Amino acid sequence: MEDPRLSRMYWALLKQWAAKRRRSLWHAAVMRSGMLTVLILTLLLMGLAFGWRTHRLGQFAMLKKQLRAKPKSEVVIRPGGQDVIRLQRSQMVGGSGPEFLSATLLPGRGMNMLQISAYLPQRGEVNLLASPSLDDAEEKLSGSGADSSGENSLTMGAAIEVPWAGRILGTRTPDGANLTTMWQGLRLSLPTGARDSYGLDGSVAAGGLLLKEPSTSVSTNIMPDGGEAMATFRPGNFGGRWLSQTEIETNVELSGRAIELKIVARNIGDTAEPIGIGWHPRFAIMSGHRGQMMLHLPEALRAEVKDRRSGELSGRLLPVSGTEYDFTGRNGARLGGLTLDDSFVELKRGMMADGPVAELRDPESGYGLRITATSPTIKALRVYAPLDGSFISIQPQFNYDDPFGHEWAKTEDTGMVVLQPGQSTQWKIRLEIFSLSPTSPEHL
């Protein structure tokens, strides 16, 4: 009988011979004939073609997606054509009282302080000024149409008023676009586009001529508890409407409890000029309850308004004691239903204060604002608090309303500072925020 191991050996030799033969045939048919090279190249080209087609399809799809998508661009808001300045600080760690957090300034629009934000314990972060958003403000502050003389700056934020503050009355030109008034025998022609608080267009010249002026230089500094911004304006003679060449420097310092605002006007021309400076803040009534707001004013006299329809003054200065205009108590008095559109002059300095002090208190929101006029040249406070308004305006300024008017006695100093060539004058105030809580340091 045959050994099975011999069968397995023969079978292994047969498979080995078959494998050698197959390799020999492959080598003869492919390797020597170049078919392998052709096959590899064909596979490589097919792979490259497939990859390129996929790439093109992906690129094309991406291109179509990009074309369908709306173009995205970062929009920079620049009222008056200049970048907005935003002074900011962080809330004090562990602080329990109200604090200023930021101030938004428009150097392209006469350094209007468009917004002040603050932290209030009862409300969180809030805006203190009655102003539109920055987007809306840019649209309204166009410098054309109803804003051709910068009038819209008076309807938002806190505008700076130079070379006079408040109102000037005079003789209207036939077209109603201007009025004329006299100073020391020299005629001034002023625009009447601003809508005065009495609601009559073209009745007065209001708010000065800086409202839409762009700055010539701007700088900022970071400070330990806030920041500082400076802007210089060189409007010359304000397009021929004023008497000499004027340079205005503004400085704003922000800290947690105070905002310092300083304005310097300098006569860089060759003839004398009168200068008045003021600030036009519109403080928001956040609770919406105007009647509960408390107003405190320094001891002063009220300029009597002869005609409330036109703003015409009588030239008389009246005491406020015992009248509805008496806000001189320690905490002031409630506004109630009284509409205010009045100037208070011959201001008395507050006890232990750097100058005359005005305060606005909001009991429902638990905070107050204090304005201290630290420059002795600030002779007037104009208060505008319309009965149906959402704001209250307290305006510290050099001059009375209508400072060139014939209603004033020749001996009356109506607040305009006369600058000879090379001379300068300074306006400065401090705005503070404080708590109305009885446990706060201010009440201890």
Side-chain angles (χ1 to χ4, degrees):
M1 192 173 195
E2 186 178 358
D3 189 342
R5 289 178 297 178
L6 290 175
S7 298
R8 287 196 296 272
M9 182 182 69
Y10 292 146
W11 176 246
L13 288 174
L14 181 61
K15 288 196 296 183
Q16 185 177 6
W17 176 85
K20 286 182 179 180
R21 185 63 180 171
R22 190 168 55 250
R23 284 196 298 271
S24 176
L25 291 173
W26 171 260
H27 186 268
V30 176
M31 297 296 289
R32 291 182 180 177
S33 66
M35 287 182 63
L36 180 61
T37 302
V38 173
L39 180 62
I40 292 173
L41 288 175
T42 300
L43 292 173
L44 180 61
L45 289 174
M46 289 175 63
L48 289 174
F50 178 77
W52 175 251
R53 183 173 182 274
T54 304
H55 171 73
R56 288 296 301 272
L57 288 174
Q59 289 287 83
F60 185 62
M62 187 180 296
L63 179 60
K64 289 195 296 183
K65 184 178 179 180
Q66 290 174 350
L67 289 174
R68 285 194 302 265
K70 294 182 179 179
K72 294 181 180 180
S73 60
E74 186 175 347
V75 178
V76 178
I77 302 173
R78 309 177 76 216
Q82 295 187 350
D83 291 340
V84 171
I85 298 174
R86 188 172 173 85
L87 300 178
Q88 291 181 287
R89 58 176 298 278
S90 299
Q91 184 184 343
M92 189 179 299
V93 177
S96 58
E99 302 175 38
F100 291 125
L101 297 178
S102 71
T104 303
L105 306 164
L106 307 182
R109 292 286 301 199
M111 210 56 163
N112 187 324
M113 190 178 294
L114 182 67
Q115 192 53 264
I116 301 170
S117 72
Y119 168 77
L120 301 181
Q122 295 184 19
R123 290 182 175 269
E125 185 172 345
V126 298
N127 290 328
L128 298 180
L129 298 179
S131 292
S133 67
L134 192 53
D135 286 335
D136 290 342
E138 183 184 33
E139 183 178 349
K140 293 177 181 178
L141 301 178
S142 63
S144 60
D147 187 49
S148 58
S149 296
E151 299 90 334
N152 285 347
S153 286
L154 297 174
T155 67
M156 62 186 74
I160 293 174
E161 301 182 343
V162 183
W164 80 88
R167 305 182 178 102
I168 289 181
L169 285 76
T171 303
R172 292 180 63 181
T173 57
D175 62 2
N178 299 280
L179 62 77
T180 60
T181 188
M182 303 293 292
W183 178 75
Q184 295 186 357
L186 301 172
R187 186 179 302 275
L188 298 170
S189 178
L190 306 175
T192 58
R195 183 177 179 85
D196 187 69
S197 56
Y198 288 113
L200 298 176
D201 291 322
S203 61
V204 298
L209 299 170
L210 189 70
L211 300 175
K212 72 168 189 176
E213 287 289 330
S215 66
T216 55
S217 66
V218 175
S219 61
T220 58
N221 289 324
I222 297 175
M223 303 178 74
D225 186 34
E228 177 185 31
M230 294 78 69
T232 300
F233 301 82
R234 293 190 178 91
N237 62 3
F238 295 95
R241 293 188 179 276
W242 213 242
L243 297 173
S244 190
Q245 304 289 312
T246 310
E247 179 184 76
I248 298 118
E249 295 177 352
T250 63
N251 182 283
V252 180
E253 291 185 18
L254 169 75
S255 63
R257 293 298 173 87
I259 294 176
E260 302 266 1
L261 178 57
K262 181 174 72 173
I263 304 166
V264 175
R266 183 174 294 105
N267 184 349
I268 59 174
D270 55 8
T271 187
E273 65 173 343
I275 288 290
I277 302 175
W279 191 48
H280 192 101
R282 293 160 62 96
F283 298 114
I285 303 173
M286 282 177 289
S287 65
H289 300 152
R290 175 192 179 279
Q292 58 91 37
M293 299 293 286
M294 302 283 292
L295 176 66
H296 166 79
L297 297 176
E299 292 185 28
L301 299 176
R302 182 177 67 90
E304 184 183 42
V305 181
K306 182 179 179 180
D307 186 349
R308 287 284 179 181
R309 295 170 301 174
S310 64
E312 183 182 357
L313 302 170
S314 70
R316 298 174 61 202
L317 301 178
L318 306 178
V320 298
S321 179
T323 72
E324 60 184 348
Y325 299 100
D326 188 355
F327 296 93
T328 58
R330 180 181 178 184
N331 294 328
R334 291 184 185 275
L335 281 178
L338 178 65
T339 289
L340 281 171
D341 196 353
D342 295 88
S343 290
F344 299 84
V345 302
E346 297 189 12
L347 309 174
K348 300 297 188 293
R349 181 171 177 166
M351 185 177 295
M352 305 297 292
D354 297 334
V357 174
E359 292 183 352
L360 184 63
R361 298 170 179 241
D362 186 344
E364 290 190 14
S365 298
Y367 84 105
L369 293 171
R370 178 183 300 117
I371 297 176
T372 303
T374 58
S375 296
T377 40
I378 296 176
K379 303 287 182 65
L381 279 173
R382 185 168 179 268
V383 181
Y384 179 44
L387 182 60
D388 59 350
S390 60
F391 66 91
I392 297 170
S393 183
I394 304 173
Q395 305 164 29
Q397 55 193 50
F398 278 7
N399 58 278
Y400 300 9
D401 270 348
D402 197 25
F404 305 137
H406 296 299
E407 66 271 22
W408 302 113
K410 291 183 179 180
T411 56
E412 185 69 41
D413 177 8
T414 57
M416 297 295 285
V417 175
V418 178
L419 295 182
Q420 299 296 330
Q423 289 185 335
S424 62
T425 185
Q426 176 178 284
W427 176 101
K428 187 176 181 180
I429 63 104
R430 181 172 60 253
L431 176 67
E432 297 171 278
I433 190 168
F434 59 93
S435 174
L436 299 184
S437 168
T439 60
S440 69
E442 298 220 12
H443 291 81
L444 296 179

